[in-house]
Amino acid sequence: MNLQIVGVGGQGILLSSKVIGGAALDKGLDVWMSEVHGMAQRGGVVVTTVKIGEIVYSPLIGDGEAHAILGFEPVETYRAIKRAAKDTWIVTNIAPIVPFTVSSGKQKYPKPDEIFQSIEKVSDRLIKVDAKKLAQEAGAAIAQNIVMLGALTATDALPFSREEMENSIRKNVPEKFVELNLRAFDLGFRSAKEQM
Amino acid sequence: MKELLDDEPGKKILLLGNEAIVRGAFEAGVGHGSTYPGTPSSEIGNTLEKIAKDYGMYFEYSANEKVAMEVGAAAAASGRRAMVWMKHVGINVAADALMTLMYCGVRAGMVIVAAGDPSVHSSQNEQDNRYYSILGGIPMLEPTSPQEAKEMTKYAFDLSEELELPVMIRTTTRVNHARGIVTFGELKEPAPIAHFEKDPGRFVAVPQNARKNHPRLLEQLGKAGPLSEKSQFNREMPVEEPELHVIGSGAGFNYVHELREANGLPISILKLGMTNPFPDERVGRFIEDAKRVLIVEELEPFIEDKVQAIAKKFNPALEVYGKHTGHFSRLYEYDPNVVREAVSKLIDVPPSEEPLQAEDFALPSRPPSLCPGCPHRATYYAVKKALGKREAIFSSDIGCYTLGVQDPLNTADFLICMGGSVGAAGGFSKNTDQKVFAFLGDSTFFHSGLPALVSGVYNQHDFVYVVMDNRTTAMTGHQPHPGTGRTGMGGPAPMVSVEDLARGAGVEFVETVNPYEIEKTTEVFKRAIDHPGISVVVTKYPCVLLDKKKLSKTPLKVDQDKCKRCYMCVNKLGCIALVKEGDDVVIDTTLCIGCSHCAQVCPFDAIGPEVEQ
Ligand SMILES: Cc1ncc(C[n+]2csc(CCOP(=O)(O)OP(=O)(O)O)c2C)c(N)n1
């Protein structure tokens, strides 16, 4: 199972890949992931790869090799599109984070709907998640990353059941935030199921 | 990360490559650790900050890599196992110490982790540090995974002790920042405090001793040769009736191994983990009956050149493919695409899944940027305001403040290395007709900005020396430094004062300002510009990421009735929370931390806290 998680520095991507990696460890599977630390964490593009299997040989994937793309931001989802193939699940947050190259008026940010339509022309496995709204519903906007994990779990991309993922959340987030995150996970899960 | 201290051999846990290196050092009984932070090595120190004390070892952030190397050398020369780690370019800083240390050698194991950054994810270059192993005569190991990074670290201490030479572990970003399952071995007690036995003939590198110690180094390296030949980290992975032979190391090996396993390709692989001394015989035997060999290694043709030389003896007809034949590039890191393409040129590889091809959108770029509320942005704004229409050269340095290179600040014109802003500023001041600024951070000041300041005072350079003091080493993850009052192990420390050092060096103009007060800061810069000689301005305000409470401060709002669409805020300050929506400027409330820089910059008083409107 090859998963590409993409987004912007500061969106909590490291935690979500840790939760997935933890679930793999619990299940006795091999896992190898590649993370981004350093300069890009200052609001740059963050690309994390998670690979899970009986044996995993490397921490990166090539074009067409992702079984799922988890996009925390529409443009970043789109940037990663060539990693996907026809059967790849593409789970994306719908809320843009506008880079300063755009907010300063120098470059243009495409309309998210146009991005999604263009993906839908080549894939019938796009799932759109309003992560911010759902996270706020669960109790706090910072839980967006776990909302996204819930949505991803609703697809059959991950080799884990819903319970296995929830257990890993319990182990990997600070205790006082577990309930909040489980609510966020549930809302994401249901939002994706409704679209499938 | 307390789990790294668990004494449960066989336990499997998910570790970052850098955490695995720490565990490897614990399994080897390391007693001393020293470093200066740098991506992708920083998490080794970040981890030890939290647990070195519990483990019982000594750990410090030194002022720079050279010092880190020297304190580590003394520990190992005294008989206490020592680890020193840094990014690839850090080795350049430490190289003076390292080259002669190799002549003297060490008594207890000394391991040097040199973390490379192919593709320049977070660095100023992508130099291939494996050549240092040749230059210095340093035995070298190249791990491919977190598990192997742990094993190699542990083994490197034994190897170093056996040879009485420091050993280098050369990693790359995809090992340091890969996370994988690591199986624990036995935890060892940290090496205790030692007693240095004097041996000036060995440890005092005056010429007559150096002349004796150089042959000693060569002799010890000679002993390392056979160890490399039989190293467990060099591994043949043959297939029957191979159509291609591959020799690979580091991350490159992983992709070719994966390609073979996923497609059942007829490739015999020799994985090399100990690459200095080079296992000539072993490579010779591997290529003896081969027709074609492809070398898979990132960056320079380090292995490829050796294989070509070895082939002359073992198999002169061998076709060697790699960088010299254009199958691979000397640039950037590899990935599965790159390796697949190279291998496909030599044997049939089944195609991968057809990648999705969506229509081409022009996507906006997303370079990293200064955070909302970053004091560096306010400093840059004030400098440019103070200059007005006057031109100046901005000699920059390495840290978060380097991001001033971007629009609309454009406050970096020259940058080559850490501490380099200062020497270069002096050079510009003596050789051009322009006004000059040097911009460097507080951590960079202590790293290498200080000697250049002294040199500038002595040589009567003329520039404004701006120490952008955000009270931390921000870019690499907020490590403490000599100015912070905190040690690497979390204890209190004397706060070394930038201002006192500058005055002590003989600088007359030394002023400290709070960059959050933009007008006052601008006034100080105006005076600094007019002051002849070197004027030092310390802009002091803590990194906004350090002060979490500030992050929840009330966001500001633009009063659209008062706003005259002059775009001073967007065009001169350029905070990422200021967003242009049509003709309006609005504030992204999820990003804004209420620092008020834009409110201070606005000529029409149109920006303020929401409540007042
Ligand atoms: C020789 C060398 N060592 C280490 C680094 C890694 N590095 C990049 S920026 C930086 C420190 C920056 O700290 P500071 O000067 O205080 O600036 P800040 O990021 O806090 O603004 C370091 C250590 C490097 N690029 N080169």
Side-chain angles (χ1 to χ4, degrees), chain A residues 2 7-9 14 17-18 20-22 24-25 28-45 47 51 56-65 73 75-76 78-79 81-88 90 97-111 114-119 121-123 132, chain B residues 12-14 16 19 39 43 121-123 144-146 173-174 177-181 251 253-255 257-259 261-262 333-337 340 352-371 399-400 402-403 406-408 474-478 543 545 570-571 574-580 588 590-591:
Chain A
N2 300 333
V8 177
L14 281 180
S17 62
K18 254 194 198 161
I20 299 171
L25 184 69
L29 290 169
D30 193 10
V31 56
W32 202 342
M33 32 204 212
S34 153
E35 300 179 354
V36 171
H37 299 258
M39 191 149 178
Q41 284 181 310
R42 300 275 176 277
V45 178
V47 179
K51 294 167 76 169
V56 181
Y57 295 95
S58 91
L60 292 183
I61 60 170
D63 292 346
E65 290 182 357
E73 203 279 344
V75 155
E76 297 316 321
Y78 197 79
R79 231 192 278 277
I81 202 76
K82 63 179 189 304
R83 299 293 190 214
K86 193 166 57 43
D87 293 332
T88 304
I90 303 168
I97 297 180
V98 176
F100 74 92
T101 50
V102 171
S103 50
S104 62
K106 292 244 157 58
Q107 296 182 11
K108 283 215 159 39
Y109 192 103
K111 288 203 180 68
E114 286 173 15
I115 295 178
F116 301 143
Q117 280 160 17
S118 130
I119 295 175
K121 272 188 208 154
V122 291
S123 165
K132 189 171 169 190
Chain B
K12 287 181 191 306
I13 88 168
L14 205 53
L16 200 63
E19 294 162 351
T39 315
E43 295 75 18
H121 295 284
S122 283
S123 300
T144 57
S145 66
T173 302
R174 296 300 172 191
H177 290 167
R179 195 179 288 277
I181 295 177
F253 157 78
N254 294 332
Y255 310 127
H257 185 203
E258 177 168 57
L259 189 70
E261 298 304 314
E333 67 178 7
Y334 293 173
D335 65 16
N337 288 341
R340 169 185 283 271
S352 59
E353 286 277 341
E354 189 66 38
L356 285 191
Q357 288 222 317
E359 73 192 275
D360 251 342
F361 269 112
L363 295 182
S365 57
R366 194 187 296 277
S369 52
L370 294 174
C371 304
C400 284
T402 317
L403 296 169
Q406 291 156 350
D407 286 336
M475 175 103 276
T476 47
H478 300 104
C543 170
L545 296 181
V570 175
N571 292 343
C575 173
I576 55 172
L578 297 164
V579 181
K580 238 174 161 177
D588 182 335
T590 60
L591 290 174

Side-chain angles (χ1 to χ4, degrees), chain B residues 370 373-387 394 401 404 409 411 437-440 464-470 513-523 525 537-541 572-573 597 600-601:
Chain B
L370 294 174
C374 177
H376 297 334
R377 184 185 288 107
T379 298
Y380 284 139
Y381 176 86
V383 163
K384 294 193 88 168
K385 183 130 193 255
L387 274 167
F394 300 124
Y401 50 90
L409 296 168
T411 43
F437 278 76
F439 292 121
L440 68 164
V464 184
Y465 187 114
V466 187
V467 181
M468 305 176 81
D469 185 355
N470 58 0
V513 288
N514 173 1
Y516 263 50
E517 298 172 354
I518 293 180
E519 210 171 296
K520 271 194 201 157
T521 305
T522 308
E523 286 314 308
F525 277 126
V537 179
V538 183
T539 57
K540 199 176 266 188
Y541 194 88
K572 301 279 183 201
L573 190 65
H597 296 165
Q600 292 181 52
V601 164

